[in-house]
Amino acid sequence: MTLTAPPVPGTTDDAETGKATWLWLVMWCLLVLGVQPWSSRAAAPQGSTGSTNSLMKGVLLGAIFLICLAATKPGFRTRASPSTTLYVAYAMFATATAFLLADPGGPLLRLARFMIGLILLFMLWRPLIRVPERLVRAHLFAHLLLALTVVLSVIWRPSVAWRPLSSFGTGYRLQGVLIPMLPPRVGEVGAILLGLAIIAFFARKISFIPAGVMIGIGVVLVAASRTRTAAAAVAVGLVLALFLTRKTWFARIASISVPALLGLAFLVIPSLQTWLLRGQGTKQISSLSGRTTSWQYVLDEDVSLQTAIIGHGLGNKRVLLRRGEGDIDVMAIDNSWLSLYWETGLLAVTIVGIAFILAWISVLRAPTPYIKASGALLLGYVTVASLNESGLSDLSSMTLHLLVAAAVCDADRLRAKAHPPPPKPVKQRYI
């Protein structure tokens, strides 16, 4: 007589088919949804401050954690990539320094959510990450679902889905309403969907029709959201993916020539120039829509040694600027590295920077072309987007892209090491 209960549906190993079971796929889709910055500004007029709904995201993340905990066998084996381990060290450092702040409540709540997300990566090693194709497929499917919610937003409430640019230019930008997402997030979802779908198609992981649908939706989201950062980041990611997986130098040079032609097209074709400029003047373009003002403030601010080491507290991604008598403005930092320094200090920048470098090393060492290309796309996107957006300091979509790229490439290397290819037969010469 056995006293053990039957396995939870969807948690049995499926190594023969290489497909993730439905439960883990749903959990990953919910995790990707939970790290998106749901913004109340999506339903508010242009220029309002708004805020992210941290409470709902925390509840969702907690529910995912409890379901995964119930579905995980006791004594399960796990592994973490070096980048994930360093992010755990970063979270522990930020937690210790948060108690030195005047008001540690907010940073500690954000760090608790961050630690739950990192623990989920440990729990998902066996069902998803150990076979890296599973996690890449789950990441692609999750962004497809997010993209479909944006499409449904246009059908459901088209008057709200199109957001006027107002002070940031002329025209309208697409945003999410069904799941509140500002245009930059819509552009990111479309860019990741577009890039992963292109790589999966050329690697023969998906057929022509599904790939065409995903690529088409991705292009529409990037174009309609008018997100220049997402367009540039996915272009760089695809170039790196092609460059690192091509075997001959001719093919590598050819992979660089394609984006060069696209860049030339933006300089020649008037409609593409209109999309790129968004009606902004020379001053707005040169200041990157005002971003350089907040960057210069962060670099010029005189801070104490303690503040330089531990930062101002997790969640402080905005700076208060005084531009004259009574003229006060609150601006987002919109640079992951400067934001990381402002929030958690120089030591945190060092830890995350090492994690970022190790993630690139994992990508370069991945033996499977499909996994290497997917990792290069995600890390290439993060490399470019981190210069123009915040996110690497806590559990965000950008941090998740970095950890996914590092995890799948590290798992791919371990798999190849455990199961090396059979040696090629040696041709014997007869004299």
Side-chain angles (χ1 to χ4, degrees):
M1 178 182 297
T2 179
L3 298 178
T4 58
V8 178
T11 62
T12 56
D13 195 9
D14 195 15
E16 291 79 6
T17 59
K19 297 180 180 179
T21 53
W22 62 268
L23 176 63
W24 302 111
L25 179 62
V26 171
M27 290 300 101
W28 186 261
C29 291
L30 291 176
L31 176 60
V32 173
L33 172 63
V35 302
Q36 296 299 319
W38 309 347
S39 178
S40 58
R41 294 173 59 195
Q46 178 78 11
S48 65
T49 55
S51 63
T52 55
N53 198 331
S54 299
L55 178 61
M56 289 184 62
K57 291 194 291 185
V59 171
L60 175 60
L61 195 63
I64 297 170
F65 174 75
L66 292 177
I67 294 173
C68 290
L69 184 64
T72 302
K73 297 179 181 179
F76 67 97
R77 293 183 177 181
T78 186
R79 180 183 170 84
S81 67
S83 297
T84 305
T85 304
L86 277 171
Y87 255 106
V88 172
Y90 158 74
M92 295 176 65
F93 163 75
T95 302
T97 57
F99 289 100
L100 301 176
L101 301 173
D103 184 15
L108 288 176
L109 287 176
R110 298 178 73 94
L111 286 166
R113 176 173 166 265
F114 194 10
M115 285 300 295
I116 292 176
L118 294 174
I119 292 173
L120 282 173
L121 290 176
F122 285 93
M123 299 173 66
L124 292 172
W125 163 258
R126 185 175 181 86
L128 278 182
I129 304 175
R130 185 181 59 170
V131 181
E133 288 81 4
R134 293 179 176 179
L135 184 55
V136 174
R137 187 184 300 114
H139 208 53
L140 172 62
F141 189 66
H143 282 81
L144 174 61
L145 293 180
L146 285 176
L148 291 177
T149 65
V150 178
V151 175
L152 291 176
S153 296
V154 179
I155 300 174
W156 179 42
R157 298 181 66 183
S159 59
V160 182
W162 293 102
R163 184 181 185 86
L165 278 165
S166 186
S167 59
F168 296 100
T170 59
Y172 293 84
R173 301 178 70 183
L174 180 62
Q175 66 180 3
V177 181
L178 191 62
I179 297 177
M181 288 188 292
L182 288 171
R185 301 283 71 75
V186 173
E188 177 185 339
V189 169
I192 297 298
L193 177 65
L194 168 65
L196 290 179
I198 290 176
I199 292 174
F201 173 71
F202 282 104
R204 299 181 180 179
K205 300 296 181 181
I206 53 177
S207 58
F208 177 76
I209 295 179
V213 172
M214 294 180 191
I215 293 172
I217 295 176
V219 170
V220 169
L221 292 189
V222 174
S225 66
R226 304 183 76 173
T227 310
R228 296 172 295 203
T229 300
V234 72
V236 171
L238 285 171
V239 169
L240 291 173
L242 291 172
F243 186 82
L244 293 177
T245 53
R246 299 301 92 188
K247 295 182 178 180
T248 63
W249 277 104
F250 177 80
R252 293 178 179 180
I253 294 174
S255 64
I256 298 177
S257 63
V258 174
L261 293 175
L262 289 176
L264 182 62
F266 274 99
L267 297 176
V268 175
I269 302 176
S271 59
L272 293 180
Q273 289 182 355
T274 302
W275 180 89
L276 183 65
L277 296 177
R278 295 196 317 219
Q280 293 181 333
T282 305
K283 184 177 180 180
Q284 289 178 308
I285 293 294
S286 60
S287 65
L288 299 178
S289 300
R291 287 180 173 90
T292 56
T293 303
S294 60
W295 296 354
Q296 193 64 43
Y297 176 84
V298 172
L299 294 173
D300 294 342
E301 177 73 2
D302 292 330
V303 296
S304 63
L305 179 61
Q306 176 179 318
T307 304
I309 295 175
I310 69 174
H312 294 78
L314 202 63
N316 290 305
K317 292 183 172 66
R318 293 174 177 268
V319 293
L320 183 65
L321 302 180
R322 290 176 174 83
R323 302 180 179 175
E325 186 68 27
D327 187 10
I328 298 177
D329 192 11
V330 178
M331 295 189 66
I333 297 176
D334 281 338
N335 180 292
S336 286
W337 302 103
L338 291 178
S339 177
L340 187 65
Y341 158 72
W342 187 258
E343 292 180 89
T344 48
L346 290 172
L347 187 55
V349 173
T350 304
I351 297 173
V352 175
I354 295 174
F356 186 76
I357 294 173
L358 291 179
W360 268 116
I361 293 175
S362 296
V363 169
L364 295 176
R365 297 179 66 188
T368 306
Y370 172 58
I371 299 302
K372 177 182 285 190
S374 300
L377 169 79
L378 294 174
L379 267 189
Y381 184 93
V382 172
T383 301
V384 176
S386 64
L387 302 177
N388 225 27
E389 295 179 0
S390 299
L392 289 180
S393 58
D394 56 5
L395 187 61
S396 67
S397 56
M398 194 181 301
T399 304
L400 194 63
H401 296 328
L402 187 154
L403 295 177
V404 167
V408 296
C409 292
D410 188 58
D412 186 40
R413 182 180 59 83
L414 291 175
R415 180 179 58 181
K417 185 177 180 181
H419 304 284
K424 296 181 180 180
V426 179
K427 295 182 178 181
Q428 296 182 357
R429 297 183 179 181
Y430 297 95
I431 300 177

